[in-house]
Every structure is written in C-alpha cells, then in structure tokens.
Amino acid sequence: MDKAYFSQAAGQGKPLSVTGDPFVCKAAGADTDNSWALFEATVLPGSLVPDHKHDGFDEAFYILEGELEMSVEGETLTASRGDFINIRRGAVHGYQNKTSTAVRYLTWTHPAGIEHFYEEISENVKALPDDLGKILTIADKHQIQIMPPGEGQA
C-alpha cells in the first residue's frame, strides 16, 4: 500500500459469484496489508452455506437488509437488519435464507485470505449439487472444513 488510505465507492469492488450468490470484494488482503478483508454479499432466497469452520480467521457479519437464519455451534439464531454477529475462528457456523427476499450483509474476515477461496469458488463452481466435489476440494485447499449434516454442532 502506497497511500495512507484505501477507498471503494458505492458500486465498486471485485464482483464474485459464490455458489450463485453475488458477492463484491470491497477490500482484499492486498489492500489492508493482509490484516482483514471485507465483502458485500447478497444471499438469494433459499440459498445456504452449510455448517463449516475455519481455524485460520475470524469472521463477522453485519446485516444490511433481510433476515438470515444462522447456526453457530449448534445454536440457531435469526439475524436481521442492523444485527452484528462475530464468529470466532474454529467455531462451527453456517446460514440459510429461508425468506422470499434477498438478504444483504457485510462480512469481515481477520486476517485476510478468504478472498482467494471466494475467487476460486467464483471461477470454478457453476451449479449445485453438480459441483459439490469442487467446493469440497477448494474448501480443503483453503483450510475450511465443511461439516457433514448433523456433525460438528455443540
């Protein structure tokens, strides 16, 4: 980083598709000395992220619009507009949009690095369940452990 600041205007950032959900990378590790990364995500109705964990980074969510059902260490919570959820590294978590409207949220990771996982998913995963094997391989490469259904809950 050459400047003392980094900025992204509304509508700017690297567009990604994470299993069909539009994500925009607002700040990657290259922008923050690998300290953190920030994404604006849209979760379409019916979309889900299965329970998973990552020991290498913390992850936080700030809900901008809509309602997301989240699972954290076996506990279910409903996150809606204005809610903030911080997930410590190593905690099993996932989410699903069970509503008929899209959910928008910001997500931070500390340290950065998850942008590489999202980029690989965006480039290689076109359809589920057909590309599930690709997701598992990419997740393993980035040290993200996807939990089989019913496993890993507290």
Side-chain angles (χ1 to χ4, degrees):
M1 293 184 346
D2 296 332
K3 294 165 86 175
Y5 71 92
F6 170 79
S7 67
Q8 289 273 22
Q12 288 185 325
K14 181 177 183 174
L16 301 165
S17 174
V18 179
T19 64
D21 288 338
F23 276 48
V24 177
C25 181
K26 300 299 279 185
D31 307 313
T32 67
D33 288 332
N34 289 314
S35 182
W36 53 273
L38 175 69
F39 300 85
E40 183 178 346
T42 301
V43 181
L44 303 174
S47 187
L48 69 89
V49 169
D51 280 350
H52 64 283
K53 71 176 186 167
H54 29 76
D55 295 328
F57 59 91
D58 300 312
E59 186 173 25
F61 300 84
Y62 181 79
I63 308 299
L64 298 169
E65 295 175 7
E67 186 176 280
L68 207 55
E69 183 175 290
M70 300 190 79
S71 168
V72 182
E73 289 291 304
E75 182 179 337
T76 301
L77 58 115
T78 301
S80 55
R81 185 173 183 238
D83 288 348
F84 176 80
I85 302 95
N86 185 62
I87 311 288
R88 292 186 181 149
R89 60 189 76 194
V92 175
H93 62 287
Y95 64 73
Q96 183 171 10
N97 180 356
K98 291 188 172 184
T99 72
S100 61
T101 60
V103 176
R104 289 184 51 246
Y105 67 79
L106 296 175
T107 185
W108 291 264
T109 61
H110 168 75
I114 190 135
E115 63 271 25
H116 306 298
F117 169 75
Y118 288 152
E119 288 165 352
E120 261 193 82
I121 291 290
S122 186
E123 292 167 7
N124 296 292
V125 175
K126 303 304 175 207
L128 290 173
D130 296 344
D131 288 340
L132 181 59
K134 289 180 185 177
I135 291 174
L136 295 173
T137 299
I138 295 167
D140 187 55
K141 176 182 175 183
H142 293 277
Q143 293 146 4
I144 298 170
Q145 182 181 358
I146 298 175
M147 314 305 282
E151 208 177 285
Q153 298 175 352

